[in-house]
Amino acid sequence: MVADQSVRSDLEVLALAQDTLGRARDHVLGLQHADGWWQGELETNVTMDAEDLLLREFLGLHDEAQIAAAGRWIRSQQRDDGTWANFYDGPGDLSTTVEAYVALRLAGDDVDALHMKRARGWILDQGGLEATRVFTRIWLALSGQWSWDDLPVIPPELIYLPSWFPLNIYDWGCWARQTIVALAVVQSFRPSRPLSFTVDELRTGVTPSSPPADPWASIFNGLDKVLHRVDAGRQQDPSSVWVGGTTRTDERSAARPRRGGLRRSVRRAALRRCADWIIARQEKDGCWGGIQPPWVYSLMALNLLGYSLDHPVMARGLAGLNRFTITEDSAEGAVRRLEACQSPVWDTVLTMIALADAGLPGDHPALVNSARWVLGEEIRGPGDWQVRRPDLAPGGWAFEFDNDVYPDTDDTGEVVLALRRVHPVPGQGVPARSQAAIDRGLRWLAGMQCKDGGWGAFDADNTRALVNKLPFCDFGAVIDPPSADVTAHIVEAFAAEGQADTPEVRRGVVWLLRAQEADGSWFGRWGANYIYGTGAVVPALIAAGVRPSKPAIRRAVAWLETHQNPDGGWGEDLRSYDDPRQAGRGTSTASQTAWALLALLAAGEHGGAAVERGVRWLAQTQRADGSWDEPQYTGTGFPGDFYINYHLYRLAFPVSALGRAVRAWGGPQALGGTA
């Protein structure tokens, strides 16, 4: 009798999984673009929208309709306590709230309106403008609300430092590198283009105390004071900069007797080299790096160097922002928001893997069309990664539609895993064109491995932590060291191609085993957080030949089982980046539940209660259209500072997990085919 009940229960959960999987799969298929790709919204916080408005004011592109639409969006994201957060249901963030407040002042909101009074009261309680991060105060300085004298100096002469010298621009991660070069130009001019109002009501008049600095930070703070004095002396002299074949006088400088000619010449040459460096890295769609920070600062830098708004470089840059802009109707009128980045390659390959896991045959048109598009996105040209690997042939993919200077290892690993699942002609395996691209990708990945055996996302051996001590590095990650999630995806890609015994994979496996936390989990750099890291590493280790019975796998399984929520799902709040005691704890989400299931299934736990409860949670919380609600942010940009809600995560990962569960239970998959 007990055995019969167990069989009925197994059949019930199998049927439940198949039914849930079928609805989700159909919904995913309906989202595919005619050209073969998938793209979900990449949702972040309102600083993107506030800074876009401030950029346009700086460039003289005042547009009342755009301001009103962005204001409606920013207003809609304010919480009852008057704050804006960096992720769903997170704590209020001072700098984000200040930037939102300034944007709403620009939109005409009255300082005495209730929502503005609440924001102002909270800002003042948190220390006011004086306590904001450096990047927020830079925006205030650009808008005439803060003194450049009270900001750290970023000298453009950094561009001269050779790549082997400490603190050269290639010591920064690619996202920070592009931002710093552009900001160095901007700060050289110390521009102030005042808005029609001030935000003096946000000042406390109190300079916040700083924690005791370590020796290197103290040295750099002292150097910053010296740079301020040097920069002040340079501002007393008339100077000119080269711009597109013309010469322009620096507007900071009054006509005074010439002094410090060598100093001026060095500065002019540095600005010229920075401009050339920036322009060389503009993408076809007008962006820089496919992300917001270097994009907006590059536009301002070039404008200050004399590039007019109708110059082709500037025009492309401004037009490209339209692709990143989402405009929707609301009861109050149009709302406008800006994506910080876009993720079509990432979304597409994750979805391809998911659909193959769901049982789509390799010759299904959805997979064939997406593979064709992905192959067309391969990057075969040069990039900044060659600074550390000059003899390595290209062969990677980027995250975005256009980011050819910065292919990344994480996307490339997932591309390999996706392309190998597509067989346009049944029985003939991976086509030659796909296999050639896979081989190039694996060779590039092998060459991008770091000295310690792990992989960073964009560069090899980008690990010099000294740049973190600079006084203007108070926001986000600025270097790109190896991470468990990226390393795991790459190890899994090599193993899937039958290369688990190569030296690169063996070194990667050792790196992963050493990176395991004492509690059995792995830290997630690009996803939230320990659930993401563990969900990536366990399948990779199993694929690479680590037996499920090994202690590292058993500890990971135990950690996941311990952190399963009473409702059967898994969730982890982003506060775990600041407080490890929050690791693996939070409201259940579809994507994080799927990550846990992927790890448990890889470890052979398909017969366990944890997997069954996780599958039931996915079935019980599925929407009628086949998707899941997931307002929580489960993606990570900068741990502790910047987070992402990938709108396709809530579909792609559950489809993969459910498909693998059905296969593990020996049942027919959603389409009755084989991947």
Side-chain angles (χ1 to χ4, degrees), residues 97-109:
T97 300
V98 166
E99 291 185 31
Y101 182 97
V102 174
L104 291 183
R105 287 292 313 276
L106 181 62
D109 289 25

Side-chain angles (χ1 to χ4, degrees), residues 48-361:
M48 299 299 104
D49 312 290
E51 291 173 8
D52 180 64
L53 294 185
L54 293 174
L55 166 70
R56 293 174 186 278
E57 290 299 302
F58 183 86
L59 296 177
L61 297 173
H62 185 89
D63 186 308
E64 290 290 349
Q66 287 184 342
I67 294 171
R72 292 185 193 101
W73 172 251
I74 294 170
R75 219 172 283 119
S76 74
Q77 299 303 297
Q78 189 180 22
R79 287 103 61 81
D80 291 341
D81 64 355
T83 67
W84 283 264
N86 287 342
F87 59 90
Y88 178 81
D89 205 27
D93 181 81
L94 175 61
S95 293
T96 300
T97 300
V98 166
E99 291 185 31
Y101 182 97
V102 174
L104 291 183
R105 287 292 313 276
L106 181 62
D109 289 25
D110 194 299
V111 293
D112 291 324
L114 180 59
H115 67 289
M116 299 293 277
K117 290 173 68 175
R118 286 176 177 166
R120 182 166 66 253
W122 187 87
I123 289 169
L124 292 172
D125 286 344
Q126 299 299 311
L129 298 186
E130 295 89 342
T132 56
R133 61 176 175 252
V134 168
F135 278 80
T136 295
R137 282 178 275 141
I138 287 173
W139 281 105
L140 293 171
L142 290 165
S143 304
Q145 312 277 347
W146 195 264
S147 171
W148 287 103
D149 291 336
D150 296 327
L151 287 167
V153 172
I154 309 172
E157 288 80 7
L158 282 173
I159 198 76
Y160 288 128
L161 295 179
S163 60
W164 53 265
F165 195 87
L167 304 180
N168 75 87
I169 61 171
Y170 296 101
D171 277 0
W172 274 269
C174 70
W175 57 90
R177 176 186 318 147
Q178 298 173 89
T179 300
I180 290 298
V181 172
L183 267 179
V185 173
V186 171
Q187 197 176 60
S188 298
F189 288 88
R190 299 164 63 93
S192 177
R193 299 181 181 176
L195 301 171
S196 59
F197 56 88
T198 70
V199 287
D200 289 343
E201 68 271 18
L202 302 183
R203 296 180 184 275
T204 64
V206 177
T207 301
S209 59
S210 300
D214 65 26
W216 275 112
S218 297
I219 291 171
F220 288 139
N221 285 331
L223 177 60
D224 182 63
K225 294 177 182 178
V226 173
L227 289 172
H228 268 290
R229 288 196 293 270
V230 171
D231 218 36
R234 187 181 281 117
Q235 290 163 48
Q236 293 171 3
D237 303 318
S239 60
S240 61
V241 291
W242 175 89
V243 284
T246 64
T247 302
R248 171 174 180 259
T249 299
D250 182 345
E251 295 175 348
R252 302 169 312 175
S253 308
R256 294 193 175 113
R258 290 183 177 273
R259 295 188 291 110
L262 177 61
R263 210 164 51 209
R264 290 196 308 275
S265 296
V266 171
R267 173 55 57 93
R268 286 198 298 269
L271 291 172
R272 183 179 306 154
R273 183 174 291 191
C274 287
D276 291 343
W277 192 94
I278 291 168
I279 292 169
R281 283 155 180 76
Q282 186 179 37
E283 294 290 336
K284 290 181 295 185
D285 69 345
C287 76
W288 277 270
I291 51 177
Q292 184 262 9
W295 197 340
V296 298
Y297 295 125
S298 294
L299 286 170
M300 287 190 289
L302 294 176
N303 181 246
L304 287 165
L305 287 168
Y307 287 81
S308 62
L309 299 186
D310 59 0
H311 187 282
V313 172
M314 294 291 291
R316 276 198 306 272
L318 290 167
L321 289 169
N322 293 332
R323 180 194 269 185
F324 286 63
T325 302
I326 298 172
T327 303
E328 296 174 337
D329 292 328
S330 75
E332 291 77 28
V335 294
R336 178 182 183 273
R337 61 184 181 273
L338 198 72
E339 291 180 282
C341 184
Q342 293 185 329
S343 52
V345 174
W346 184 245
D347 288 339
T348 298
V349 295
L350 292 179
T351 304
M352 291 170 66
I353 295 166
L355 290 173
D357 285 336
L360 258 68

Side-chain angles (χ1 to χ4, degrees), residues 284-547:
K284 290 181 295 185
D285 69 345
C287 76
W288 277 270
I291 51 177
Q292 184 262 9
W295 197 340
V296 298
Y297 295 125
S298 294
L299 286 170
M300 287 190 289
L302 294 176
N303 181 246
L304 287 165
L305 287 168
Y307 287 81
S308 62
L309 299 186
D310 59 0
H311 187 282
V313 172
M314 294 291 291
R316 276 198 306 272
L318 290 167
L321 289 169
N322 293 332
R323 180 194 269 185
F324 286 63
T325 302
I326 298 172
T327 303
E328 296 174 337
D329 292 328
S330 75
E332 291 77 28
V335 294
R336 178 182 183 273
R337 61 184 181 273
L338 198 72
E339 291 180 282
C341 184
Q342 293 185 329
S343 52
V345 174
W346 184 245
D347 288 339
T348 298
V349 295
L350 292 179
T351 304
M352 291 170 66
I353 295 166
L355 290 173
D357 285 336
L360 258 68
D363 62 344
H364 191 283
L367 293 178
V368 173
N369 291 339
S370 57
R372 184 183 302 115
W373 181 80
V374 168
L375 287 169
E377 293 297 302
E378 184 185 6
I379 297 170
R380 303 291 298 278
D384 274 6
W385 52 272
Q386 291 176 308
V387 171
R388 296 281 188 261
R389 295 292 186 267
D391 299 323
L392 180 61
W397 280 261
F399 188 73
E400 304 89 346
F401 285 112
D402 295 291
N403 192 12
D404 288 358
V405 180
Y406 298 105
D408 69 89
T409 62
D410 209 7
D411 275 274
T412 302
E414 292 298 320
V415 166
V416 169
L417 289 167
L419 288 179
R420 66 181 307 276
R421 308 291 291 271
V422 183
H423 313 283
V425 180
Q428 291 192 12
V430 177
R433 184 187 175 199
S434 294
Q435 191 60 56
I438 288 171
D439 293 342
R440 285 190 296 271
L442 291 177
R443 282 195 296 270
W444 185 72
L445 289 172
M448 292 295 289
Q449 189 171 29
C450 296
K451 290 182 294 187
D452 64 4
W455 276 270
F458 295 91
D459 288 297
D461 298 318
N462 186 256
T463 56
R464 286 179 176 166
L466 194 59
V467 296
N468 291 308
K469 308 299 183 183
L470 294 170
F472 48 80
C473 291
D474 71 340
F475 175 73
V478 296
I479 59 174
D480 185 18
S483 65
D485 41 309
V486 172
T487 300
H489 293 153
I490 294 167
V491 165
E492 188 175 6
F494 275 103
E497 285 297 299
Q499 300 186 33
D501 291 328
T502 61
E504 292 83 7
V505 173
R506 293 297 92 198
R507 293 175 62 223
V509 167
V510 170
W511 190 95
L512 288 170
L513 292 174
R514 289 175 175 170
Q516 188 174 27
E517 303 289 333
D519 62 8
S521 66
W522 277 271
F523 178 84
R525 163 62 180 87
W526 297 97
N529 171 352
Y530 294 94
I531 294 177
Y532 182 70
T534 307
V537 173
V538 172
L541 291 177
I542 298 296
V546 177
R547 292 192 297 274

Side-chain angles (χ1 to χ4, degrees), residues 9-10 13 16-17 560-570 588-589 593-594 596-597 600-601 605-621 658 661 665:
S9 176
D10 290 346
V13 72
L16 194 63
L560 287 168
E561 290 177 343
T562 300
H563 288 82
Q564 188 172 24
N565 285 331
D567 61 10
W570 280 266
S588 296
T589 69
T593 297
L597 288 173
L600 292 173
L601 289 165
E605 297 296 312
H606 53 278
V611 169
E612 179 179 333
R613 293 176 61 221
V615 168
R616 288 184 182 277
W617 185 88
L618 287 173
Q620 291 163 1
T621 57
L658 290 166
W665 287 327

